[in-house]
Amino acid sequence: MCKIFRNFGILLLLVVSSHWVLGQGSRAADTDKKSTSVPVSANGPYNPSRTLQHDLLHTRLDLSFDWVRQWVHGMARLRFKPHFYPQNTLDVDAKGFEIKGVFLLDTLKTGESVFDTLNYTYNDRQKIHILLPRTYTRADTFDIQVVYTAKPNERPMGGSAAITQDKGLYFINHDGAEPNKPRQIWTQGETEANSCWFPTIDAPNQKMTQEIYLTVDNKYRTLSNGKLISSTVNQEGTRTDYWRQTQPHAPYLAMIAVGEFAYVKDSLAATPERGPLEISYFVEPAYEKSARAIFGRTPAMVEFFEKKFGVPYVWDKYSQIAVRDFVTGAMENTTATVHGETVQMDERQLVDGNSDDVISHELSHHWFGNLTTAESWANLPLNEAFATYAEYLWREHREGVYSADMHGLDDLNQYIAESETKQEPLIRYRYTDREQMFDSHSYAKGGRVLHLLRRTVGDEAFFESLTLYLKRHRFKTAELSDLREAFEEVTGEDLNWFFNQWFLKPGHAVIKIEKEFKPGTVQLTVIQQQDSTHAPIYRLPVKVDIWVKGQKKTYDVVVDKAKQTLSFPIEQRPELIVFDSDHRIVGTVEQEKNKPELVFQFYHADNYQDKYESITRLEDKSNLIDSTVRHMMMDAMKDKFWKIRQVAVGNFAEYDGQEFAEVERIVQSKARNDEKSLVRQEGINTLASYGDNVNDPLFREALNDTSYAVVSSALDSYLLSKPGDASEVAARFENVPNGDIVTAVANFYANSTDTSRYTWFINKMNTMKSQDLYNFLQVFGKYLIRSGSDTQRQAIPMLEVMARTSPAYFVRFGAYQVLGLLQDIEGVKSMRKDIRLSERDPKLKEMYEQFKDF
């Protein structure tokens, strides 16, 4: 599953955490921060893997759909065998079903099938407890048939921060009442929600093959796991599609999707290890021409991961589908990944960035998660840490190590922010809800721990160990010890120390470095400041770089004490010392560096983290008085890597000091000509901060940029000065199919004295994607404040519906905020209170609790 933490990350960090915590070498990560206590989360009960009384071998489903009542009519045939001990009963997960009958299926020698009715109980509507006609041994197999109607929409809704609902199967726009939204059916099974639409043993330590027959209206296209074997047209205007997957996978990875999708076929040539591979993309018809631009690097990703992991892609096909109102970021269902609608972008939107991170993440699960599956949710990092690190690997391969390290630093910062309120072991058997496993520990910290393991054992040993692990547990499940044993077999080393401290203990390293120079020697005192009552004193094999007379020497050292002194010979005082110079440590490193050292580091330490540290620790405007720092920052605006350029350009916002004309000239050049659109956008924003009209011609010129991001900033900046043609320019862009641009136009309308734009605002909200709607709502709130009370009252029912029913939690929160601006109107305060109390999403409940008085 895709980590969704970045999808609305700024809102989460600023609203939920009320602060933005960053880690090593990053903006605002001041080095005087200490960790004096560890907020270890409360332990829940012990959660073992599911006991295997029976093995689920095969599932066949025959499904049809009642759109009006949002029901699934199903017939399931399930094949079992006792796992080890003889069994005369069977428990099957089935949540919220209407059971029509349970039967034992027997196939006679003549080939004729006989169904014997079985006795069962279904008192809790969670499990079917079936009485078998005799005792079966592990040498036996038997088939049962369940005829049922699943009613997922009638179940009490649960959910979590990562997966906002757990209904399993979802009807989107089921009655066609939303004219701007397609009608769709799709499923989301992780963690244990597939048993809301078919009976199964809903546990990750089961493996089954499957067949699914889907009967749908002829106008709809279907998708499921495996290959489409046949499509049969029926007399009543329906069609039955037959999907079959012959390789076993876990029940939570089963999926179906139904809707009016465009189908774009791609392919990958055969290799000696596998045959030709069909790769396909299912998108809304409006995005058919953009499908290859969105997903078209997938074949190259498959080839890359096959080589990197040393194991061929083993599945029948690889499809990706984009659906509306998805309840998480994306999901790696075997051979059929489901993405949320945000992945759908036209080719102009793709100028500002693609979805390769989530695409590579979900694809890599077809090795780590689908082929070799974590045997329990406690071992979830064996799926998600690897998929997160696969994002790093793909960036490293495709875009270079700077891009990969930027992504890795983002992951580290994401985990460090979470660690302020929660610290857990990566592998944790004690939790109160399995959904708690889907956090920045399992994803972000897990990915960084794998990077540390790679640096510790070396590239060759790291990837050879992964190959051994995948081959040994192919189509099976695994736990942490299986991964460790693969690494120990390859390296010949006992690695318990590494796995114990990084996978089985909470926390991270909090390192402080003190320097002392003596004749011919420099001493580094390394202090581990983490709370050792919970976190370990780490064994840290790291590198130390020391520059003397412009020449670098690298030393390999091992830190394994709470306080440890390292001595290095030097000819004279070094220009720079960098502890953990390849930035492998999972945690923070506090090392004092003065301005000359940071400037030297920018020019000599050729890696992303060190350059980023230099330009962010010196970002304060007071440092730009120093000509050396100023010139470094001016050079940074021309750096080879776009993120360094972007940050450096932003550091000159509101600048009015020495060499302003030259600084402005460089920023103007970046705004006009930089190859990266996000740098051009930063240039526009920085020029706008100077608060004059000198750059208005440049802003107007930038309205023709190929990048929506650049145009939106240019439009904001140009309209802010209220030029004579402002209304004409706003009208030119008010119907552009991009949320940022439309929001810029809305901001102009909200700031004007024209209060007749209500219908325009409403029409835009009705057609806008969820990811754009939050920001637009804030502008709409500004517009309402400037409008009369009649307009405000007119907006309240629409805002209430949005605050209660929008599928996106952040849209609900945005509508709730706008209602907060209208509290002087009778009934709004009590309405907001009821909205707060009725909310079931845990993230939003926390946000409401923090801001209930606002």
Side-chain angles (χ1 to χ4, degrees):
M1 176 176 293
C2 168
K3 53 187 171 189
I4 64 170
F5 312 103
R6 288 197 179 101
N7 290 4
F8 217 69
I10 292 178
L11 176 66
L12 280 174
L13 286 169
L14 296 183
V15 177
V16 177
S17 301
S18 301
H19 61 269
W20 196 335
V21 182
L22 299 177
Q24 175 183 8
S26 59
R27 186 183 294 264
D30 294 338
T31 56
D32 61 353
K33 186 167 189 330
K34 297 179 178 64
S35 177
T36 56
S37 63
V38 177
V40 177
S41 300
N43 284 338
Y46 180 75
N47 293 277
S49 56
R50 182 86 69 95
T51 299
L52 297 174
Q53 294 177 329
H54 291 88
D55 293 336
L56 174 60
L57 303 178
H58 183 73
T59 295
R60 170 181 165 159
L61 304 175
D62 291 78
L63 306 176
S64 61
F65 307 95
D66 183 333
W67 286 83
V68 174
R69 291 182 287 189
Q70 302 180 71
W71 290 355
V72 182
H73 299 298
M75 187 279 290
R77 294 184 183 179
L78 311 174
R79 179 165 297 155
F80 296 95
K81 77 175 188 67
H83 181 75
F84 185 84
Y85 297 107
Q87 303 288 340
N88 59 12
T89 63
L90 170 68
D91 288 323
V92 176
D93 297 303
K95 302 185 180 87
F97 288 8
E98 178 185 337
I99 306 295
K100 308 293 181 62
V102 179
F103 309 93
L104 182 71
L105 174 62
D106 189 17
T107 302
L108 303 178
K109 292 181 179 179
T110 60
E112 182 181 354
S113 296
V114 176
F115 298 92
D116 292 326
T117 301
L118 294 175
N119 293 321
Y120 67 92
T121 57
Y122 188 51
N123 297 330
D124 62 356
R125 292 175 59 82
Q126 299 290 311
K127 289 181 184 289
I128 310 171
H129 180 68
I130 302 168
L131 303 179
L132 299 175
R134 65 179 177 87
T135 298
Y136 291 87
T137 73
R138 56 180 169 153
D140 299 318
T141 61
F142 60 93
D143 290 19
I144 67 163
Q145 177 171 290
V146 181
V147 181
Y148 66 97
T149 295
K151 303 177 180 180
N153 214 49
E154 298 175 19
R155 295 188 64 247
M157 189 179 74
S160 66
I163 309 166
T164 58
Q165 296 182 35
D166 63 353
K167 294 191 296 185
L169 184 142
Y170 301 79
F171 288 82
I172 304 303
N173 195 16
H174 71 101
D175 56 2
E178 298 179 75
N180 298 306
K181 181 179 288 186
R183 301 180 76 199
Q184 298 175 348
I185 299 170
W186 46 260
T187 61
Q188 164 53 37
E190 196 172 33
T191 49
E192 297 177 9
N194 270 345
S195 49
C196 296
W197 60 279
F198 71 93
T200 189
I201 298 182
D202 210 347
N205 59 346
Q206 289 284 349
K207 294 271 183 168
M208 66 180 192
T209 55
Q210 70 183 51
E211 300 170 275
I212 297 182
Y213 293 80
L214 300 172
T215 298
V216 298
D217 290 348
N218 269 323
K219 65 179 179 179
Y220 294 126
R221 192 181 298 276
T222 71
L223 178 65
S224 188
N225 313 93
K227 286 187 175 181
L228 179 62
I229 303 302
S230 65
S231 290
T232 304
V233 176
N234 308 314
Q235 291 184 347
E236 63 274 19
T238 65
R239 188 187 72 254
T240 300
D241 289 350
Y242 168 36
W243 293 88
R244 182 176 67 199
Q245 178 163 301
T246 58
Q247 304 104 322
H249 70 159
Y252 77 87
L253 296 166
M255 69 80 67
I256 60 170
V258 178
E260 295 183 78
F261 298 101
Y263 166 70
V264 177
K265 186 176 180 180
D266 213 334
S267 63
L268 192 59
T271 68
E273 292 80 20
R274 61 152 172 79
L277 179 65
E278 178 189 320
I279 295 175
S280 57
Y281 320 123
F282 291 70
V283 294
E284 292 175 32
Y287 293 93
E288 181 174 7
K289 293 182 179 178
S290 302
R292 279 196 172 85
I294 298 167
F295 296 114
R297 292 159 302 283
T298 302
M301 289 182 189
V302 173
E303 291 183 310
F304 170 70
F305 287 138
E306 286 182 324
K307 293 175 183 175
K308 209 69 177 173
F309 300 150
V311 174
Y313 183 90
V314 300
W315 309 98
D316 292 325
K317 71 165 190 309
Y318 188 56
S319 298
Q320 295 175 87
I321 188 169
V323 303
R324 291 293 186 99
D325 299 342
F326 200 43
V327 293
T328 188
M331 180 62 205
E332 67 275 11
N333 309 294
T334 311
T335 78
T337 286
V338 178
H339 292 275
E341 66 194 85
T342 57
V343 77
Q344 294 184 133
M345 294 182 280
D346 61 37
E347 298 200 33
R348 188 171 178 188
Q349 288 172 305
L350 288 164
V351 168
D352 297 318
N354 58 41
S355 300
D356 275 14
D357 287 338
V358 64
I359 293 171
S360 59
H361 182 108
E362 306 306 332
L363 172 61
S364 70
H365 270 307
H366 283 71
W367 286 266
F368 295 96
N370 300 11
L371 180 63
T372 300
T373 309
E375 73 166 19
S376 65
W377 301 118
N379 284 274
L380 181 70
L382 295 182
N383 296 356
E384 297 299 349
F386 277 106
T388 301
Y389 195 51
E391 300 172 37
Y392 180 98
L393 295 174
W394 174 250
R395 279 183 177 242
E396 184 181 40
H397 169 73
R398 183 80 175 189
E399 300 177 6
V401 69
Y402 268 53
S403 177
D405 285 343
M406 175 184 70
H407 190 64
L409 182 58
D410 287 345
D411 279 342
L412 178 62
N413 291 335
Q414 181 178 295
Y415 158 70
I416 294 293
E418 183 175 87
S419 73
E420 292 292 310
T421 56
K422 171 184 182 178
Q423 289 188 18
E424 297 274 12
L426 285 185
I427 306 299
R428 57 200 115 132
Y429 288 90
R430 295 190 178 276
Y431 50 75
T432 56
D433 188 329
R434 59 182 175 266
E435 305 293 337
Q436 294 168 353
M437 291 297 302
F438 293 82
D439 59 10
S440 291
H441 285 60
S442 293
Y443 289 77
K445 181 185 179 182
R448 289 293 82 204
V449 168
L450 291 175
H451 185 69
L452 172 59
L453 180 57
R454 177 184 173 188
R455 290 287 179 256
T456 300
V457 302
D459 273 23
E460 185 177 2
F462 180 79
F463 290 107
E464 190 172 323
S465 299
L466 298 190
T467 301
L468 176 62
Y469 168 76
L470 290 170
K471 288 182 175 179
R472 181 171 286 168
H473 302 284
R474 171 187 170 100
F475 298 120
K476 298 178 183 178
T477 60
E479 58 182 343
L480 181 66
S481 60
D482 298 312
L483 181 67
R484 174 180 55 79
E485 288 169 5
F487 271 85
E488 289 181 337
E489 186 169 328
V490 168
T491 63
E493 300 177 18
D494 187 318
L495 292 171
N496 271 292
W497 65 271
F498 184 96
F499 283 79
N500 287 345
Q501 69 184 19
W502 289 112
F503 285 94
L504 299 176
K505 296 288 187 181
H508 55 270
V510 181
I511 305 297
K512 181 177 181 180
I513 305 298
E514 296 176 349
K515 294 180 290 188
E516 183 179 359
F517 299 102
K518 296 181 178 179
T521 302
V522 60
Q523 288 186 343
L524 299 184
T525 299
V526 184
I527 306 167
Q528 297 197 40
Q529 296 183 310
Q530 64 272 8
D531 184 351
S532 59
T533 59
H534 300 288
I537 297 300
Y538 291 96
R539 176 181 173 184
L540 300 170
V542 295
K543 293 183 180 294
V544 178
D545 285 354
I546 300 177
W547 276 266
V548 177
K549 298 180 181 179
Q551 299 297 312
K552 179 181 76 173
K553 285 189 177 181
T554 299
Y555 299 88
D556 290 299
V557 301
V558 175
V559 174
D560 56 8
K561 298 178 178 61
K563 186 173 184 179
Q564 187 170 343
T565 300
L566 308 171
S567 296
F568 305 94
I570 53 172
E571 299 177 39
Q572 63 181 47
R573 190 181 184 94
E575 292 94 349
L576 177 68
I577 299 172
V578 179
F579 179 84
D580 186 32
S581 58
D582 61 1
H583 303 281
R584 64 177 67 177
I585 288 177
V586 180
T588 60
V589 176
E590 176 187 339
Q591 180 180 347
E592 286 296 330
K593 295 173 186 173
N594 57 30
K595 287 182 186 178
E597 288 173 323
L598 288 168
V599 171
F600 184 93
Q601 177 173 288
F602 176 81
Y603 288 109
H604 292 85
D606 188 19
N607 63 65
Y608 170 76
Q609 293 96 322
D610 287 331
K611 285 195 171 189
Y612 187 78
E613 181 188 31
S614 293
I615 62 173
T616 53
R617 286 180 62 174
L618 295 173
E619 69 181 350
D620 190 89
K621 297 297 182 291
S622 62
N623 289 317
L624 298 178
I625 298 172
D626 186 323
S627 63
T628 303
V629 174
R630 185 170 63 253
H631 289 154
M632 180 206 78
M633 212 69 75
M634 292 164 73
D635 287 341
M637 290 196 288
K638 307 170 190 175
D639 193 79
K640 65 181 181 180
F641 186 58
W642 70 268
K643 187 64 177 181
I644 301 300
R645 300 196 302 273
Q646 181 192 36
V647 174
V649 168
N651 285 348
F652 281 105
E654 301 179 356
Y655 180 72
D656 61 357
Q658 294 180 332
E659 298 183 276
F660 174 80
E662 178 61 13
V663 167
E664 185 176 39
R665 185 193 66 77
I666 297 173
V667 175
Q668 289 170 339
S669 173
K670 296 290 101 182
R672 281 194 172 100
N673 304 317
D674 198 278
E675 65 180 5
K676 187 71 173 180
S677 65
L678 298 182
V679 179
R680 300 199 299 275
Q681 180 187 36
E682 194 72 42
I684 296 287
N685 294 337
T686 296
L687 293 172
S689 75
Y690 297 150
D692 54 38
N693 299 109
V694 171
N695 289 294
D696 280 1
L698 187 151
F699 299 152
R700 205 179 197 296
E701 173 189 332
L703 296 177
N704 298 313
D705 198 280
T706 57
S707 159
Y708 280 136
V710 173
V711 172
S712 66
S713 288
L715 193 59
D716 256 335
S717 302
Y718 186 69
L719 295 177
L720 187 65
S721 63
K722 299 183 179 179
D725 63 348
S727 295
E728 175 188 338
V729 169
R732 171 185 160 194
F733 287 98
E734 66 177 15
N735 294 313
V736 170
N738 177 267
D740 290 338
I741 290 176
V742 172
T743 300
V745 174
N747 196 47
F748 172 71
Y749 290 155
N751 284 325
S752 71
T753 57
D754 182 1
T755 58
S756 63
R757 295 280 180 176
Y758 180 80
T759 300
W760 180 86
F761 273 94
I762 297 302
N763 289 339
K764 291 303 171 189
M765 284 189 282
N766 286 338
T767 59
M768 192 168 279
K769 291 182 178 180
S770 296
Q771 69 266 28
D772 299 320
L773 195 48
Y774 177 82
N775 290 331
F776 191 85
L777 277 166
Q778 309 313 300
V779 178
F780 182 56
K782 185 193 302 185
Y783 169 80
L784 288 177
I785 290 174
R786 292 171 174 262
S787 301
S789 58
D790 289 344
T791 300
Q792 293 173 355
R793 288 190 177 91
Q794 187 179 359
I796 288 171
M798 179 273 297
L799 289 168
E800 180 183 9
V801 170
M802 192 177 294
R804 292 186 186 276
T805 66
S806 174
Y809 77 91
F810 48 84
V811 174
R812 299 199 298 278
F813 182 71
Y816 174 85
Q817 286 179 303
V818 178
L819 284 169
L821 302 174
L822 310 177
Q823 293 190 89
D824 291 340
I825 297 175
E826 184 178 355
V828 172
K829 282 187 178 179
S830 59
M831 178 190 298
R832 292 178 85 236
K833 181 179 180 180
D834 186 66
I835 289 169
R836 274 200 318 272
L837 296 176
S838 302
E839 180 58 53
R840 288 181 286 181
D841 184 295
K843 288 188 303 297
L844 197 44
K845 288 176 72 171
E846 182 181 353
M847 292 158 68
Y848 284 155
E849 184 63 27
Q850 290 190 37
F851 291 90
K852 61 184 178 183
D853 297 326
F854 289 84

